Amino acid sequence: MDFTFTADQSELADHVRKFADSRIAPHARQSDARGSYRPGLLAEMGAEGLFGLRILREYGGRELDATSAGIALAELAAADLSVCFPVLNAALVGGVLAANGTPAQLAEWLPSIAAGETIVALALTEPGHGTDAANIGMRAEPTAGGWVLSGEKTSIMAAMYATHALVFARTGGAGAHGVTAFYVRLDDAHVSREQLDDLGCRAGGRGRLLLDGLPVGARDVVGTPGRGFVEVMRGFGVSRALISLMAIAVGQAALDEAIGHAGRREAFGQPIGRFQSVAFALVEHATMLHAARLLAYEALAVADAGEDPRIPANMAKWWAPKAAMDAVHQALLTFGQLGWTEDGPIARRLRDVIGLQLADGTAAATKLVVARKLLGRTAAP
């Protein structure tokens, strides 16, 4: 069992870290306060190849394995979690398109995603359907030339930046097998959007998409009609492990800052790290983050080996965001009154990482996946 990165993976980590340290981290506070990325950031990320991590080389991507994508996302998250979502979307949506699209669709869609010219969103969640996504209510009404989509999608990450979205709508009966996926342009008079006022990741552009009779044709259907939900769920095994690494990176960045502070800050005539109440708490959270990181990378390694990653990926997804949130909280306590201010990064990181307990599946939803794999559907909740 090898726990080390390959030479290429180490080079990737170094490259993305340098980019994140120079072009993302210095602007994170201002982006958070403004509620949007600085101008030109997405184009720079596209030039760095960050949107093509998982896209095949024949379509202009880098065709990296899932583990390498996790390495890149972790480096970005350590600088500013909010910038990860367009990159994550490109990997997830690009993967769904690659697995289910026709050669003509892939030739048309994937190169612009890989280049960062197209920013994609995953439009699944609705006001009345979050975890219960298989029962979404948005209808695709048939017409002579295809369908029209009407309804609202909400809590859509990167909605305010997206040029295109993978939209899920009901074309058949109730349940998962009545949902079809459509790849649609968002710069249309039948589409409006509204940014949500969020607790954290304020620059991430989470928003509502309102579709009012958006016309779509047969060429916009991804995969088999009626199987859109099933097809996208296959991608969650990888994306949940990626999100876990994003969370861990935020927790680790905060913990590293707290460790440095514990060595510098003095109280009662000595560094506060000399006190067991400070040092042992940091050790506990460092241990939890380390273990969660290994679990997330195990899930990605399983996926890269062509095997089913759902058990380790869903284990990681319910645990890692909580472990990260707890680590950031401990970092805030270590800083004391210095952590309780927006002048430093700890408060922002705490606000940001809380949301990852919801993204791509709550703890209850991910535990349910594991329970059904362990116990079988007839013996599990």
Side-chain angles (χ1 to χ4, degrees):
M1 187 175 295
D2 188 356
F3 292 98
T4 60
F5 293 162
T6 66
D8 286 344
Q9 289 170 339
S10 295
E11 183 180 352
L12 173 68
D14 289 342
H15 182 81
V16 177
R17 186 184 309 119
K18 289 176 182 176
F19 173 77
D21 287 346
S22 64
R23 305 303 298 157
I24 295 175
H27 306 277
R29 182 182 173 193
Q30 294 88 341
S31 296
D32 179 70
R34 187 174 55 243
S36 63
Y37 303 143
R38 65 174 176 81
L41 175 61
L42 290 174
E44 290 182 23
M45 292 172 66
E48 291 293 320
L50 292 170
F51 297 114
L53 295 176
R54 298 279 285 154
I55 292 177
L56 297 175
R57 289 191 182 90
E58 64 183 291
Y59 300 112
R62 301 176 70 171
E63 203 171 332
L64 298 181
D65 57 20
T67 301
S68 298
I71 291 169
L73 280 164
E75 295 296 342
L76 293 174
D80 182 358
L81 179 62
S82 75
V83 307
C84 292
F85 296 103
V87 177
L88 180 70
N89 284 353
L92 177 57
V93 174
V96 173
L97 297 179
N100 300 285
T102 66
Q105 287 175 327
L106 302 188
E108 178 183 354
W109 297 337
L110 292 184
S112 63
I113 296 176
E117 297 164 357
T118 292
I119 304 299
V120 292
L122 182 75
L124 179 61
T125 300
E126 297 178 1
H129 299 282
T131 300
D132 188 20
N135 289 308
I136 59 171
M138 177 178 282
R139 297 288 310 181
E141 297 294 344
T143 65
W147 296 266
V148 293
L149 306 181
S150 296
E152 177 183 344
K153 297 294 183 179
T154 194
S155 195
I156 309 304
M157 289 307 303
M160 305 310 295
Y161 305 108
T163 60
H164 293 69
L166 189 62
V167 178
F168 298 84
R170 190 162 301 283
T171 54
H177 293 283
V179 176
T180 298
F182 300 89
Y183 186 66
V184 304
R185 293 186 65 91
L186 296 179
D187 59 344
D188 188 283
H190 298 277
V191 179
S192 60
R193 59 185 103 190
E194 174 186 339
Q195 185 160 354
L196 296 172
D197 187 9
D198 290 337
L199 172 67
C201 284
R202 293 168 176 167
R206 190 177 73 102
R208 303 164 63 217
L209 295 176
L210 303 174
L211 279 58
D212 184 14
L214 177 67
V216 294
R219 65 187 300 276
D220 302 313
V221 174
V222 179
T224 307
R227 290 189 56 80
F229 179 78
V230 176
E231 288 159 354
V232 76
M233 286 301 292
R234 294 193 184 113
F236 281 1
V238 169
S239 67
R240 285 174 175 171
L242 295 176
I243 287 175
S244 299
L245 288 172
M246 290 159 48
I248 293 161
V250 177
Q252 190 66 59
L255 202 64
D256 289 344
E257 289 162 347
I259 291 169
H261 179 74
R264 296 187 301 268
R265 180 77 168 183
E266 290 193 357
F268 306 103
Q270 59 185 332
I272 62 173
R274 294 288 300 274
F275 297 100
Q276 289 185 4
S277 60
V278 174
F280 287 5
L282 296 174
V283 169
E284 290 171 4
H285 290 285
T287 303
M288 292 296 181
L289 290 178
H290 185 74
R293 184 183 297 108
L294 292 177
L295 181 59
Y297 276 123
E298 178 192 352
L300 296 178
V302 168
D304 286 334
E307 300 173 8
D308 186 352
R310 281 178 292 176
I311 288 181
N314 282 279
M315 285 178 171
K317 178 57 181 68
W318 79 256
W319 180 30
K322 183 179 185 306
M325 184 190 70
D326 291 343
V328 180
H329 182 207
Q330 185 59 51
L332 187 150
L333 296 177
T334 303
F335 272 89
Q337 54 89 12
L338 297 176
W340 189 249
T341 173
E342 294 289 355
D343 291 338
I346 302 297
R348 172 176 56 82
R349 288 199 174 110
L350 184 60
R351 288 190 286 101
D352 287 352
V353 81
I354 288 172
L356 293 188
Q357 293 186 291
L358 304 173
D360 234 25
T362 63
T366 51
K367 288 176 184 178
L368 182 62
V369 174
V370 177
R372 288 177 174 174
K373 294 291 289 183
L374 295 178
L375 301 170
R377 294 186 70 91
T378 58

